[in-house]
mmCIF file of all heavy atoms in Angstrom:
data_model
loop_
_atom_site.group_PDB
_atom_site.id
_atom_site.type_symbol
_atom_site.label_atom_id
_atom_site.label_comp_id
_atom_site.label_asym_id
_atom_site.label_seq_id
_atom_site.Cartn_x
_atom_site.Cartn_y
_atom_site.Cartn_z
ATOM 1 N N GLY M 1 -5.025 -36.648 -7.201
ATOM 2 C CA GLY M 1 -4.324 -37.184 -6.048
ATOM 3 C C GLY M 1 -4.191 -38.691 -6.041
ATOM 4 O O GLY M 1 -3.191 -39.215 -5.677
ATOM 5 N N VAL M 2 -5.228 -39.345 -6.586
ATOM 6 C CA VAL M 2 -5.191 -40.815 -6.598
ATOM 7 C C VAL M 2 -4.141 -41.306 -7.569
ATOM 8 O O VAL M 2 -3.320 -42.221 -7.220
ATOM 9 C CB VAL M 2 -6.604 -41.373 -7.010
ATOM 10 C CG1 VAL M 2 -6.503 -42.882 -7.230
ATOM 11 C CG2 VAL M 2 -7.649 -41.028 -5.982
ATOM 12 N N SER M 3 -4.058 -40.757 -8.761
ATOM 13 C CA SER M 3 -3.014 -41.185 -9.720
ATOM 14 C C SER M 3 -1.633 -40.802 -9.221
ATOM 15 O O SER M 3 -0.710 -41.557 -9.412
ATOM 16 C CB SER M 3 -3.320 -40.511 -11.079
ATOM 17 O OG SER M 3 -3.261 -39.087 -10.972
ATOM 18 N N CYS M 4 -1.497 -39.663 -8.547
ATOM 19 C CA CYS M 4 -0.219 -39.304 -8.002
ATOM 20 C C CYS M 4 0.237 -40.249 -6.906
ATOM 21 O O CYS M 4 1.395 -40.637 -6.750
ATOM 22 C CB CYS M 4 -0.244 -37.846 -7.470
ATOM 23 S SG CYS M 4 1.346 -37.108 -7.091
ATOM 24 N N ALA M 5 -0.763 -40.725 -6.066
ATOM 25 C CA ALA M 5 -0.456 -41.671 -5.010
ATOM 26 C C ALA M 5 -0.012 -42.955 -5.642
ATOM 27 O O ALA M 5 0.891 -43.645 -5.113
ATOM 28 C CB ALA M 5 -1.715 -41.911 -4.177
ATOM 29 N N MET M 6 -0.594 -43.337 -6.760
ATOM 30 C CA MET M 6 -0.155 -44.568 -7.439
ATOM 31 C C MET M 6 1.284 -44.471 -7.906
ATOM 32 O O MET M 6 2.036 -45.380 -7.806
ATOM 33 C CB MET M 6 -1.104 -44.812 -8.717
ATOM 34 C CG MET M 6 -2.443 -45.451 -8.323
ATOM 35 S SD MET M 6 -2.301 -47.132 -7.822
ATOM 36 C CE MET M 6 -1.707 -47.900 -9.335
ATOM 37 N N GLY M 7 1.638 -43.288 -8.380
ATOM 38 C CA GLY M 7 2.994 -43.068 -8.868
ATOM 39 C C GLY M 7 4.034 -43.003 -7.787
ATOM 40 O O GLY M 7 5.239 -43.036 -8.011
ATOM 41 N N LEU M 8 3.536 -42.869 -6.522
ATOM 42 C CA LEU M 8 4.470 -42.706 -5.355
ATOM 43 C C LEU M 8 4.193 -43.831 -4.323
ATOM 44 O O LEU M 8 4.438 -43.620 -3.131
ATOM 45 C CB LEU M 8 4.303 -41.329 -4.711
ATOM 46 C CG LEU M 8 4.816 -40.163 -5.517
ATOM 47 C CD1 LEU M 8 4.319 -38.864 -5.038
ATOM 48 C CD2 LEU M 8 6.314 -40.177 -5.513
ATOM 49 N N LEU M 9 3.774 -44.944 -4.755
ATOM 50 C CA LEU M 9 3.484 -46.070 -3.878
ATOM 51 C C LEU M 9 4.719 -46.431 -3.079
ATOM 52 O O LEU M 9 5.800 -46.547 -3.640
ATOM 53 C CB LEU M 9 2.992 -47.280 -4.620
ATOM 54 C CG LEU M 9 1.482 -47.330 -4.985
ATOM 55 C CD1 LEU M 9 1.157 -48.521 -5.835
ATOM 56 C CD2 LEU M 9 0.650 -47.309 -3.719
ATOM 57 N N GLY M 10 4.527 -46.666 -1.789
ATOM 58 C CA GLY M 10 5.638 -46.981 -0.967
ATOM 59 C C GLY M 10 6.404 -45.789 -0.440
ATOM 60 O O GLY M 10 7.226 -45.952 0.494
ATOM 61 N N GLU M 11 6.115 -44.582 -0.906
ATOM 62 C CA GLU M 11 6.717 -43.334 -0.481
ATOM 63 C C GLU M 11 5.775 -42.569 0.447
ATOM 64 O O GLU M 11 6.140 -42.005 1.461
ATOM 65 C CB GLU M 11 7.152 -42.531 -1.614
ATOM 66 C CG GLU M 11 8.170 -43.160 -2.539
ATOM 67 C CD GLU M 11 9.541 -43.274 -1.973
ATOM 68 O OE1 GLU M 11 9.801 -42.703 -0.894
ATOM 69 O OE2 GLU M 11 10.376 -44.008 -2.550
ATOM 70 N N ILE M 12 4.517 -42.433 0.067
ATOM 71 C CA ILE M 12 3.498 -41.617 0.734
ATOM 72 C C ILE M 12 2.712 -42.541 1.687
ATOM 73 O O ILE M 12 2.070 -43.500 1.252
ATOM 74 C CB ILE M 12 2.561 -40.935 -0.259
ATOM 75 C CG1 ILE M 12 3.359 -40.041 -1.250
ATOM 76 C CG2 ILE M 12 1.461 -40.175 0.482
ATOM 77 C CD1 ILE M 12 4.127 -38.943 -0.561
ATOM 78 N N THR M 13 2.676 -42.163 2.931
ATOM 79 C CA THR M 13 1.776 -42.899 3.826
ATOM 80 C C THR M 13 0.862 -41.924 4.570
ATOM 81 O O THR M 13 -0.021 -42.324 5.309
ATOM 82 C CB THR M 13 2.591 -43.639 4.970
ATOM 83 O OG1 THR M 13 3.509 -42.706 5.643
ATOM 84 C CG2 THR M 13 3.415 -44.703 4.301
ATOM 85 N N THR M 14 1.046 -40.566 4.386
ATOM 86 C CA THR M 14 0.134 -39.637 4.993
ATOM 87 C C THR M 14 -0.570 -38.892 3.870
ATOM 88 O O THR M 14 0.062 -38.201 3.069
ATOM 89 C CB THR M 14 0.849 -38.633 5.853
ATOM 90 O OG1 THR M 14 1.596 -39.335 6.882
ATOM 91 C CG2 THR M 14 -0.041 -37.654 6.496
ATOM 92 N N VAL M 15 -1.883 -39.107 3.802
ATOM 93 C CA VAL M 15 -2.700 -38.444 2.824
ATOM 94 C C VAL M 15 -3.672 -37.500 3.532
ATOM 95 O O VAL M 15 -4.484 -38.004 4.406
ATOM 96 C CB VAL M 15 -3.504 -39.436 1.945
ATOM 97 C CG1 VAL M 15 -4.403 -38.741 0.970
ATOM 98 C CG2 VAL M 15 -2.551 -40.400 1.216
ATOM 99 N N LEU M 16 -3.642 -36.264 3.219
ATOM 100 C CA LEU M 16 -4.507 -35.240 3.791
ATOM 101 C C LEU M 16 -5.586 -34.937 2.730
ATOM 102 O O LEU M 16 -5.240 -34.423 1.659
ATOM 103 C CB LEU M 16 -3.786 -34.006 4.210
ATOM 104 C CG LEU M 16 -2.755 -34.200 5.324
ATOM 105 C CD1 LEU M 16 -2.055 -32.864 5.656
ATOM 106 C CD2 LEU M 16 -3.319 -34.845 6.582
ATOM 107 N N ILE M 17 -6.844 -35.203 3.011
ATOM 108 C CA ILE M 17 -7.946 -34.949 2.097
ATOM 109 C C ILE M 17 -8.689 -33.705 2.557
ATOM 110 O O ILE M 17 -9.174 -33.692 3.696
ATOM 111 C CB ILE M 17 -8.905 -36.174 2.011
ATOM 112 C CG1 ILE M 17 -8.130 -37.404 1.507
ATOM 113 C CG2 ILE M 17 -10.094 -35.862 1.064
ATOM 114 C CD1 ILE M 17 -8.946 -38.703 1.437
ATOM 115 N N THR M 18 -8.701 -32.720 1.713
ATOM 116 C CA THR M 18 -9.384 -31.449 2.078
ATOM 117 C C THR M 18 -10.752 -31.432 1.595
ATOM 118 O O THR M 18 -11.177 -32.036 0.632
ATOM 119 C CB THR M 18 -8.619 -30.225 1.467
ATOM 120 O OG1 THR M 18 -8.689 -30.370 0.005
ATOM 121 C CG2 THR M 18 -7.167 -30.213 1.900
ATOM 122 N N ALA M 19 -11.594 -30.769 2.458
ATOM 123 C CA ALA M 19 -13.018 -30.648 2.129
ATOM 124 C C ALA M 19 -13.604 -29.407 2.738
ATOM 125 O O ALA M 19 -13.176 -28.997 3.833
ATOM 126 C CB ALA M 19 -13.819 -31.857 2.605
ATOM 127 N N GLU M 20 -14.553 -28.845 2.115
ATOM 128 C CA GLU M 20 -15.354 -27.666 2.696
ATOM 129 C C GLU M 20 -16.688 -28.185 3.118
ATOM 130 O O GLU M 20 -16.917 -29.407 3.084
ATOM 131 C CB GLU M 20 -15.447 -26.564 1.637
ATOM 132 C CG GLU M 20 -14.077 -25.932 1.357
ATOM 133 C CD GLU M 20 -14.143 -24.756 0.422
ATOM 134 O OE1 GLU M 20 -15.289 -24.426 -0.093
ATOM 135 O OE2 GLU M 20 -13.131 -24.055 0.256
ATOM 136 N N GLN M 21 -17.598 -27.352 3.492
ATOM 137 C CA GLN M 21 -18.872 -27.797 4.178
ATOM 138 C C GLN M 21 -19.923 -28.159 3.197
ATOM 139 O O GLN M 21 -20.996 -28.627 3.611
ATOM 140 C CB GLN M 21 -19.368 -26.647 5.076
ATOM 141 C CG GLN M 21 -18.515 -26.535 6.381
ATOM 142 C CD GLN M 21 -18.777 -25.235 7.020
ATOM 143 O OE1 GLN M 21 -18.367 -24.165 6.530
ATOM 144 N NE2 GLN M 21 -19.493 -25.201 8.201
ATOM 145 N N SER M 22 -19.713 -28.030 1.873
ATOM 146 C CA SER M 22 -20.801 -28.353 0.976
ATOM 147 C C SER M 22 -20.942 -29.886 0.796
ATOM 148 O O SER M 22 -19.989 -30.628 1.042
ATOM 149 C CB SER M 22 -20.466 -27.761 -0.450
ATOM 150 O OG SER M 22 -19.333 -28.422 -1.001
ATOM 151 N N LYS M 23 -22.150 -30.303 0.397
ATOM 152 C CA LYS M 23 -22.374 -31.714 0.248
ATOM 153 C C LYS M 23 -21.527 -32.358 -0.797
ATOM 154 O O LYS M 23 -21.043 -33.483 -0.706
ATOM 155 C CB LYS M 23 -23.879 -31.951 -0.075
ATOM 156 C CG LYS M 23 -24.843 -31.609 1.079
ATOM 157 C CD LYS M 23 -26.297 -31.793 0.667
ATOM 158 C CE LYS M 23 -27.234 -31.472 1.811
ATOM 159 N NZ LYS M 23 -28.649 -31.623 1.454
ATOM 160 N N THR M 24 -21.318 -31.555 -1.893
ATOM 161 C CA THR M 24 -20.516 -32.083 -3.021
ATOM 162 C C THR M 24 -19.040 -32.265 -2.587
ATOM 163 O O THR M 24 -18.367 -33.186 -2.953
ATOM 164 C CB THR M 24 -20.530 -31.162 -4.233
ATOM 165 O OG1 THR M 24 -20.210 -29.836 -3.857
ATOM 166 C CG2 THR M 24 -21.974 -31.084 -4.768
ATOM 167 N N SER M 25 -18.555 -31.332 -1.717
ATOM 168 C CA SER M 25 -17.183 -31.409 -1.283
ATOM 169 C C SER M 25 -16.990 -32.606 -0.304
ATOM 170 O O SER M 25 -15.981 -33.344 -0.461
ATOM 171 C CB SER M 25 -16.818 -30.108 -0.535
ATOM 172 O OG SER M 25 -15.490 -30.192 -0.076
ATOM 173 N N ILE M 26 -17.944 -32.821 0.550
ATOM 174 C CA ILE M 26 -17.870 -33.915 1.470
ATOM 175 C C ILE M 26 -17.933 -35.264 0.696
ATOM 176 O O ILE M 26 -17.207 -36.232 1.048
ATOM 177 C CB ILE M 26 -18.954 -33.861 2.541
ATOM 178 C CG1 ILE M 26 -18.845 -32.591 3.349
ATOM 179 C CG2 ILE M 26 -18.962 -35.040 3.449
ATOM 180 C CD1 ILE M 26 -20.017 -32.270 4.260
ATOM 181 N N ARG M 27 -18.807 -35.288 -0.262
ATOM 182 C CA ARG M 27 -18.919 -36.513 -1.119
ATOM 183 C C ARG M 27 -17.596 -36.776 -1.833
ATOM 184 O O ARG M 27 -17.156 -37.969 -1.936
ATOM 185 C CB ARG M 27 -20.056 -36.422 -2.142
ATOM 186 C CG ARG M 27 -20.176 -37.610 -3.008
ATOM 187 C CD ARG M 27 -21.325 -37.485 -3.944
ATOM 188 N NE ARG M 27 -22.612 -37.659 -3.159
ATOM 189 C CZ ARG M 27 -23.804 -37.603 -3.753
ATOM 190 N NH1 ARG M 27 -23.938 -37.380 -5.000
ATOM 191 N NH2 ARG M 27 -24.928 -37.767 -2.988
ATOM 192 N N ALA M 28 -16.992 -35.731 -2.318
ATOM 193 C CA ALA M 28 -15.702 -35.889 -2.995
ATOM 194 C C ALA M 28 -14.641 -36.402 -2.090
ATOM 195 O O ALA M 28 -13.764 -37.220 -2.432
ATOM 196 C CB ALA M 28 -15.297 -34.539 -3.635
ATOM 197 N N ALA M 29 -14.698 -35.939 -0.865
ATOM 198 C CA ALA M 29 -13.635 -36.415 0.161
ATOM 199 C C ALA M 29 -13.878 -37.885 0.480
ATOM 200 O O ALA M 29 -12.922 -38.668 0.517
ATOM 201 C CB ALA M 29 -13.813 -35.627 1.457
ATOM 202 N N GLU M 30 -15.114 -38.250 0.572
ATOM 203 C CA GLU M 30 -15.451 -39.706 0.779
ATOM 204 C C GLU M 30 -15.011 -40.571 -0.371
ATOM 205 O O GLU M 30 -14.432 -41.678 -0.195
ATOM 206 C CB GLU M 30 -16.956 -39.876 1.052
ATOM 207 C CG GLU M 30 -17.393 -41.307 1.333
ATOM 208 C CD GLU M 30 -18.891 -41.370 1.600
ATOM 209 O OE1 GLU M 30 -19.622 -40.427 1.338
ATOM 210 O OE2 GLU M 30 -19.312 -42.470 1.978
ATOM 211 N N TYR M 31 -15.235 -40.130 -1.610
ATOM 212 C CA TYR M 31 -14.823 -40.837 -2.778
ATOM 213 C C TYR M 31 -13.286 -40.963 -2.821
ATOM 214 O O TYR M 31 -12.719 -42.030 -3.079
ATOM 215 C CB TYR M 31 -15.332 -40.118 -4.023
ATOM 216 C CG TYR M 31 -14.782 -40.752 -5.311
ATOM 217 C CD1 TYR M 31 -15.287 -41.913 -5.822
ATOM 218 C CD2 TYR M 31 -13.687 -40.116 -6.012
ATOM 219 C CE1 TYR M 31 -14.760 -42.504 -6.972
ATOM 220 C CE2 TYR M 31 -13.195 -40.666 -7.137
ATOM 221 C CZ TYR M 31 -13.681 -41.867 -7.624
ATOM 222 O OH TYR M 31 -13.220 -42.392 -8.803
ATOM 223 N N THR M 32 -12.622 -39.852 -2.596
ATOM 224 C CA THR M 32 -11.144 -39.868 -2.623
ATOM 225 C C THR M 32 -10.572 -40.866 -1.553
ATOM 226 O O THR M 32 -9.654 -41.592 -1.850
ATOM 227 C CB THR M 32 -10.537 -38.450 -2.310
ATOM 228 O OG1 THR M 32 -11.165 -37.506 -3.260
ATOM 229 C CG2 THR M 32 -9.113 -38.416 -2.457
ATOM 230 N N ALA M 33 -11.184 -40.787 -0.384
ATOM 231 C CA ALA M 33 -10.723 -41.722 0.712
ATOM 232 C C ALA M 33 -10.930 -43.140 0.305
ATOM 233 O O ALA M 33 -10.030 -44.001 0.544
ATOM 234 C CB ALA M 33 -11.493 -41.424 1.982
ATOM 235 N N SER M 34 -12.021 -43.498 -0.349
ATOM 236 C CA SER M 34 -12.306 -44.875 -0.755
ATOM 237 C C SER M 34 -11.316 -45.373 -1.832
ATOM 238 O O SER M 34 -10.883 -46.505 -1.790
ATOM 239 C CB SER M 34 -13.709 -45.052 -1.235
ATOM 240 O OG SER M 34 -13.931 -44.301 -2.487
ATOM 241 N N GLN M 35 -10.996 -44.433 -2.736
ATOM 242 C CA GLN M 35 -10.031 -44.763 -3.819
ATOM 243 C C GLN M 35 -8.577 -45.009 -3.251
ATOM 244 O O GLN M 35 -7.889 -45.831 -3.630
ATOM 245 C CB GLN M 35 -10.047 -43.648 -4.914
ATOM 246 C CG GLN M 35 -11.260 -43.627 -5.647
ATOM 247 C CD GLN M 35 -11.614 -44.896 -6.410
ATOM 248 O OE1 GLN M 35 -10.858 -45.386 -7.202
ATOM 249 N NE2 GLN M 35 -12.779 -45.519 -6.037
ATOM 250 N N MET M 36 -8.234 -44.150 -2.327
ATOM 251 C CA MET M 36 -6.953 -44.221 -1.660
ATOM 252 C C MET M 36 -6.778 -45.550 -0.894
ATOM 253 O O MET M 36 -5.773 -46.241 -0.961
ATOM 254 C CB MET M 36 -6.648 -43.082 -0.703
ATOM 255 C CG MET M 36 -6.435 -41.709 -1.427
ATOM 256 S SD MET M 36 -4.844 -41.642 -2.284
ATOM 257 C CE MET M 36 -4.927 -39.923 -2.865
ATOM 258 N N GLU M 37 -7.895 -45.850 -0.157
ATOM 259 C CA GLU M 37 -7.940 -47.088 0.594
ATOM 260 C C GLU M 37 -7.789 -48.289 -0.342
ATOM 261 O O GLU M 37 -7.047 -49.264 -0.030
ATOM 262 C CB GLU M 37 -9.176 -47.194 1.381
ATOM 263 C CG GLU M 37 -9.278 -48.391 2.305
ATOM 264 C CD GLU M 37 -10.504 -48.431 3.141
ATOM 265 O OE1 GLU M 37 -11.542 -47.677 2.839
ATOM 266 O OE2 GLU M 37 -10.559 -49.214 4.131
ATOM 267 N N LYS M 38 -8.450 -48.257 -1.494
ATOM 268 C CA LYS M 38 -8.437 -49.363 -2.477
ATOM 269 C C LYS M 38 -7.022 -49.551 -2.962
ATOM 270 O O LYS M 38 -6.510 -50.639 -3.088
ATOM 271 C CB LYS M 38 -9.362 -49.019 -3.617
ATOM 272 C CG LYS M 38 -9.452 -50.096 -4.701
ATOM 273 C CD LYS M 38 -10.403 -49.700 -5.826
ATOM 274 C CE LYS M 38 -10.423 -50.791 -6.842
ATOM 275 N NZ LYS M 38 -11.349 -50.436 -7.944
ATOM 276 N N ILE M 39 -6.316 -48.448 -3.307
ATOM 277 C CA ILE M 39 -4.966 -48.505 -3.802
ATOM 278 C C ILE M 39 -4.085 -49.146 -2.730
ATOM 279 O O ILE M 39 -3.220 -50.036 -3.019
ATOM 280 C CB ILE M 39 -4.457 -47.080 -4.124
ATOM 281 C CG1 ILE M 39 -5.078 -46.537 -5.377
ATOM 282 C CG2 ILE M 39 -2.913 -47.085 -4.328
ATOM 283 C CD1 ILE M 39 -4.749 -45.063 -5.605
ATOM 284 N N GLY M 40 -4.251 -48.736 -1.487
ATOM 285 C CA GLY M 40 -3.408 -49.243 -0.445
ATOM 286 C C GLY M 40 -3.552 -50.715 -0.211
ATOM 287 O O GLY M 40 -2.622 -51.479 -0.074
#
């Protein structure tokens, strides 16, 4: 998702990050959000 967002800079402004209830899933969501924020 992060690399795809890079390829579509200026086009995508709504990013939906999916997660389930597991600790690993929530951590992955947090990591994805931080990388998206950094790109922006």
Side-chain angles (χ1 to χ4, degrees):
V2 174
S3 59
C4 196
M6 282 290 294
L8 289 165
L9 277 175
E11 300 289 349
I12 300 298
T13 57
T14 302
V15 178
L16 299 180
I17 299 177
T18 60
E20 296 183 351
Q21 288 162 289
S22 68
K23 293 180 180 178
T24 55
S25 179
I26 298 170
R27 177 176 290 179
E30 183 178 9
Y31 172 78
T32 305
S34 66
Q35 293 300 301
M36 291 289 183
E37 183 178 15
K38 181 180 178 181
I39 290 172

